[in-house]
Amino acid sequence: MENLSKQLVDKSVEAFIMGLEIYNKPTIKYRIEGFSFFICNAWELMLKAELLNRGVPIYFPGSNRTISLENAIRKIYTDKKQPLRINLEKIIDLRNTSTHFITEEYETIYAPFFQSCVLNFSEQVKRFHNIDVTDYIAQNFLTLSVNLNVLTNEEIRGKYSQEMAERLINNKNELEFLTTNNSSNDLFIPIRHEFVQIKDKTKADFTYAIDPNADTSAKIITKLQDPNDKYKLTRKNVIDSINKQLQTKKISFNYQTVKGDKGFNEYTLNLFMDFYNLKQDNKYCYQFGTVRRYSQQLVDFILEKIKIDADIINKILVVKKR
């Protein structure tokens, strides 16, 4: 069974890469369906290889037909509430959706789940088969190129037939419910694009000017935001997400404890929060009474700093000692 297991893993990695290549080509209109097909195929082959390694048969009794991906998932991930399992099951549902029902708006609602699924696969194929996908594809390809075109329910109903619109809205509502009640990055990774007007232009990513002679008018809109919509992460969520991406994206991080433990932890998170004064920045965290919650932007900020300098913790410690 060892040779068959290896063949399945090899094909699994190839299916995974094909899914990424299809999704990251914006000119391909079939990329949502193509990605969901290939990522499910990658998971199915990889999990069946793991079952073979465990001595668990992948064929139905007295048949040459192998078990389904759903069956393989249930055998390996036995907890129905496990975020990784829920993520996979939702993408399987999308794969099983008739292609004529899938529209470009599906990308908007599924993109956070796709991104999580990519990192989950990278992590699990390493865990089960000691395969590092970044040996086959550049780590930046693990970040999906996403087109965001958000429509309201009313706009969806106005654009599509009743059957298509209601199916899309039901999917949208179901996934929104999941993200509201589970903040694990094994389930979804939020994708946010925020524009904030500030007075100090030296701190701006870009500047703009208002042209009174422009053909198209524009307005600056201010809107109150519910903090619960943005600050979904606990400290543990932040630490787990950073470690997950450090591992799956093969990002160097030169830090270890006195006991020799490596990885991002409570101590390094506190160093970042204090050194960059992040507790006072509502972009990254928010105080709910006695509880502080964090945004996905905090994860992205820390990862970006580590990418730039793998020795950042040691350098922060040097500065703090001065």
Side-chain angles (χ1 to χ4, degrees):
M1 288 299 181
E2 182 178 351
N3 289 336
L4 177 56
S5 174
K6 184 179 184 306
Q7 290 174 23
L8 292 178
V9 173
D10 290 343
K11 290 182 178 181
S12 170
V13 172
E14 187 169 343
F16 175 71
I17 293 172
M18 289 179 70
L20 291 180
E21 290 180 343
I22 287 175
Y23 196 87
N24 284 324
K25 289 183 178 179
T27 57
I28 297 180
K29 295 182 179 180
Y30 193 69
R31 67 192 203 138
I32 302 171
E33 299 95 319
F35 174 81
S36 61
F37 173 82
F38 281 112
I39 196 69
C40 285
N41 186 232
W43 275 97
E44 181 173 349
L45 294 168
M46 189 269 287
L47 294 181
K48 286 179 178 178
E50 172 60 13
L51 288 173
L52 288 175
N53 291 341
R54 296 182 183 185
V56 178
I58 62 172
Y59 294 95
F60 287 107
S63 172
N64 291 326
R65 191 164 64 91
T66 61
I67 61 174
S68 66
L69 171 56
E70 293 90 333
N71 287 334
I73 291 171
R74 287 193 289 268
K75 288 178 181 292
I76 291 181
Y77 305 111
T78 56
D79 183 0
K80 294 180 180 179
K81 296 181 180 180
Q82 184 176 358
L84 182 151
R85 173 170 165 173
I86 296 172
N87 173 279
L88 267 175
E89 289 171 343
K90 293 306 169 187
I91 294 177
I92 291 171
D93 289 343
L94 177 63
R95 180 200 63 179
N96 294 342
T97 300
S98 297
T99 186
H100 64 277
F101 283 121
I102 296 179
T103 67
E104 60 186 7
E105 283 74 31
Y106 273 79
E107 180 172 8
T108 302
I109 62 176
Y110 274 95
F113 292 81
F114 287 166
Q115 183 62 79
S116 182
C117 190
V118 166
L119 296 185
N120 288 343
F121 179 87
S122 302
E123 185 178 56
Q124 296 298 301
V125 76
K126 176 70 173 177
R127 171 191 172 195
F128 292 140
H129 305 290
N130 199 31
I131 296 291
D132 187 340
V133 295
T134 59
D135 290 339
Y136 298 84
I137 191 169
Q139 65 89 11
N140 59 294
F141 273 87
L142 299 180
T143 301
L144 299 179
S145 174
V146 179
N147 290 329
L148 295 180
N149 182 25
V150 181
L151 294 182
T152 64
N153 289 352
E154 291 72 23
E155 289 171 327
I156 291 171
R157 290 190 176 98
K159 186 175 180 180
Y160 298 108
S161 67
Q162 181 178 354
E163 185 178 9
M164 290 181 68
E166 293 308 318
R167 183 183 289 264
L168 174 57
I169 291 169
N170 287 339
N171 279 333
K172 177 171 170 283
N173 292 342
E174 183 179 352
L175 296 183
E176 285 178 351
F177 176 80
L178 284 175
T179 60
T180 301
N181 291 277
N182 194 318
S183 56
S184 172
N185 277 175
D186 284 349
L187 176 62
F188 74 105
I189 295 178
I191 298 172
R192 302 179 67 94
H193 297 283
E194 295 190 350
F195 297 89
V196 181
Q197 183 177 255
I198 59 176
K199 294 181 179 180
D200 185 356
K201 69 178 184 180
T202 62
K203 297 180 180 179
D205 293 325
F206 61 88
T207 59
Y208 68 90
I210 297 175
D211 181 1
N213 299 316
D215 294 332
T216 304
S217 61
K219 293 181 180 179
I220 297 173
I221 301 174
T222 57
K223 179 181 178 182
L224 294 176
Q225 182 183 44
D226 183 356
N228 288 292
D229 292 339
K230 177 177 179 180
Y231 307 97
K232 294 176 178 289
L233 304 180
T234 64
R235 289 180 68 86
K236 184 177 185 303
N237 292 149
V238 171
I239 293 168
D240 289 347
S241 180
I242 290 171
N243 279 319
K244 183 186 187 74
Q245 295 196 51
L246 288 175
Q247 179 182 352
T248 56
K249 294 184 177 180
K250 219 171 181 179
I251 301 171
S252 296
F253 181 49
N254 299 331
Y255 171 78
Q256 66 179 28
T257 67
V258 292
K259 294 182 179 180
D261 297 328
K262 297 181 179 180
F264 199 83
N265 55 30
E266 282 277 354
Y267 176 67
T268 52
L269 177 58
N270 285 332
L271 283 177
F272 265 98
M273 298 296 290
D274 293 340
F275 186 76
Y276 291 102
N277 199 27
L278 301 180
K279 291 179 183 177
Q280 309 305 318
D281 193 334
N282 284 344
K283 183 177 180 181
Y284 302 110
C285 61
Y286 191 87
Q287 190 78 26
F288 294 85
T290 59
V291 178
R292 181 177 283 114
R293 304 279 284 190
Y294 305 88
S295 70
Q296 181 66 30
Q297 287 171 295
L298 175 62
V299 175
D300 297 338
F301 173 84
I302 293 174
L303 284 170
E304 188 60 32
K305 292 295 183 183
I306 294 174
K307 284 181 186 177
I308 294 171
D309 188 352
D311 293 313
I312 188 168
I313 293 298
N314 294 324
K315 291 180 179 177
I316 289 175
L317 290 172
V318 169
V319 173
K320 287 175 69 70
K321 289 178 181 179
R322 291 176 182 171

